[in-house]
């Protein structure tokens, strides 16, 4: 009635095996059957309404980073949604930036590590400059459940972007929404070869003084990276912890000739 745009989602939590490397399967807990879960996106001030249905084997929630009524927090035992039950999360999108959502049921590290997380983007009313946009969620998987990750990736599948490079025309803006949700390791990182990028930490400010080729992140930190390739060819990106890179967290952005060249 007040003219606010309502954005409605339905999230269903359920257990599912996912392939995290060729022939390597992980018994995940998922939102809508995928890890990371679906990206939530809105313009600041929009109303977000999410019908959450728990069809999993354990109590789950959705906890959002950002402003919301504490009753929507999903962090307390009396807010856990039991198997077979559902809950409606509703709040206004605020503040501008790249945020995160994840399950906050106990034990927290298990619910996060098993795959219940995703990106939450809030755009400014004036928008951002047009760009080739991509979401990259840095994550890891403890395949033998010893409290140490054996596989690392961005968006779950080890070495996926090495085998399937991301092609972008030279001279056109690239915007990466980067989120770190890696469990068991205190820090993850992102390094891009042969270029520097503008770094907007959490994306809450529209201007930045940071210009770099590497960013370090603790769990739940996130940033927006903006870069324009000067040259055609393969630009590797990876964690700058060599162990993480060699265990799957590595990819390629391939600069191609502009369409009108």
């Amino acid at each position: 009635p007040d003219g606010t745009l309502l954005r409605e989602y339905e999230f269903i939590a359920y257990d599912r095996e996912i392939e995290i490397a060729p022939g390597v399967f992980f018994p995940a807990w998922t939102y809508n059957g995928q890890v990371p879960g679906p990206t939530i996106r809105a313009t600041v001030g929009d109303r977000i309404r999410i019908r959450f249905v728990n069809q999993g084997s354990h109590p789950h929630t959705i906890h959002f980073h950002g402003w919301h009524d504490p009753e929507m927090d999903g962090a307390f035992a009396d807010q856990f949604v039991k198997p077979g039950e559902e809950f409606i999360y509703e709040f206004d999108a605020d503040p501008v930036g790249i945020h995160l959502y994840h399950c906050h049921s106990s034990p927290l590290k298990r619910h996060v590590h098993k795959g219940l997380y995703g990106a939450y983007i809030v755009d400014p009313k004036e928008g951002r400059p047009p760009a080739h946009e991509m979401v990259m969620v840095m994550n890891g998987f403890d395949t033998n459940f010893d409290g140490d990750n054996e596989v690392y990736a961005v968006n779950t599948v080890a070495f996926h972007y090495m085998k399937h490079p991301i092609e972008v025309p030279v001279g056109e803006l690239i915007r990466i929404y980067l989120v770190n949700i890696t469990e068991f390791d205190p820090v993850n990182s992102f390094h891009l070869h042969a270029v520097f990028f503008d770094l907007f930490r959490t994306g809450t400010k529209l201007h930045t003084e940071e210009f770099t080729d590497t960013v370090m992140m603790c769990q739940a930190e996130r940033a927006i990276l903006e870069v324009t390739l000067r040259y055609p060819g393969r630009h590797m990106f990876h964690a700058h912890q060599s162990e993480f890179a060699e265990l799957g967290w590595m990819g390629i952005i391939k600069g191609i000739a502009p369409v009108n060249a």
Side-chain angles (χ1 to χ4, degrees):
D2 66 0
T4 301
L5 182 63
L6 175 65
R7 297 184 183 271
E8 293 186 285
Y9 295 83
E10 182 175 75
F11 277 31
I12 300 175
Y14 61 91
D15 304 357
R16 177 175 180 251
E17 279 203 342
I18 59 172
E19 192 169 17
I20 59 174
V24 179
F25 290 86
F26 181 78
W29 297 344
T30 73
Y31 294 122
N32 290 4
Q34 64 186 71
V35 178
T39 296
I40 297 171
R41 190 162 193 174
T43 299
V44 65
D46 290 352
R47 192 72 169 174
I48 294 174
R49 180 182 298 154
I50 299 173
R51 176 176 176 254
F52 174 56
V53 180
N54 185 5
Q55 293 183 359
S57 56
H58 295 74
H60 295 308
T61 69
I62 310 178
H63 166 68
F64 300 88
H65 288 231
W67 291 95
H68 52 255
D69 188 305
E71 293 303 312
M72 298 288 116
D73 204 49
F76 300 97
D78 60 354
Q79 297 174 342
F80 295 176
V81 181
K82 297 177 182 179
E85 297 183 350
E86 62 180 77
F87 184 79
I88 302 294
Y89 294 96
E90 187 165 338
F91 52 91
D92 293 333
D94 191 35
V96 167
I98 169 64
H99 307 309
L100 167 71
Y101 67 84
H102 58 85
C103 183
H104 215 294
S105 294
S106 301
L108 181 56
K109 68 180 180 180
R110 187 175 187 212
H111 285 250
V112 169
H113 167 251
K114 290 278 278 183
L116 291 168
Y117 48 76
Y120 164 37
I121 300 170
V122 180
D123 295 311
K125 286 188 180 294
E126 62 272 31
R128 298 183 188 272
H132 297 271
E133 294 192 328
M134 53 198 78
V135 174
M136 294 189 182
V137 178
M138 301 188 293
N139 52 1
F141 297 91
D142 175 12
T143 57
N144 61 6
F145 302 99
D146 65 350
D148 191 20
N149 293 315
E150 284 72 46
V151 175
Y152 293 87
V154 59
N155 298 340
T156 296
V157 182
F159 297 115
H160 177 79
Y161 299 111
M162 290 295 290
K163 299 174 183 176
H164 306 280
I166 302 166
E167 295 188 352
V168 180
V170 170
E172 297 187 11
L173 183 64
I174 299 168
R175 180 175 299 118
I176 299 171
Y177 295 94
L178 184 67
V179 176
N180 179 30
I181 193 60
T182 311
E183 193 60 78
F184 305 127
D185 293 283
V187 176
N188 204 334
S189 61
F190 177 100
H191 169 59
L192 180 60
H193 286 208
V195 295
F196 270 47
F197 48 79
D198 289 308
L199 176 66
F200 301 81
R201 292 186 181 272
T202 319
T204 49
K205 301 292 185 182
L206 303 184
H207 303 283
T208 180
E209 300 296 324
E210 293 194 69
F211 188 55
T212 183
D213 64 355
T214 305
V215 57
M216 310 296 290
M217 292 183 173
C218 293
Q219 190 189 70
E221 282 194 287
R222 57 264 184 208
I224 296 175
L225 285 52
E226 292 189 349
V227 62
T228 302
L229 303 182
R230 291 183 182 178
Y231 308 109
R234 294 172 296 171
H235 297 69
M236 183 179 287
F237 63 93
H238 59 84
H240 220 301
Q241 292 97 319
S242 299
E243 177 191 10
F244 295 7
E246 291 173 352
L247 290 174
W249 178 179
M250 184 183 294
I252 293 171
I253 296 176
K254 183 179 180 181
I256 60 175
V259 175
N260 58 357

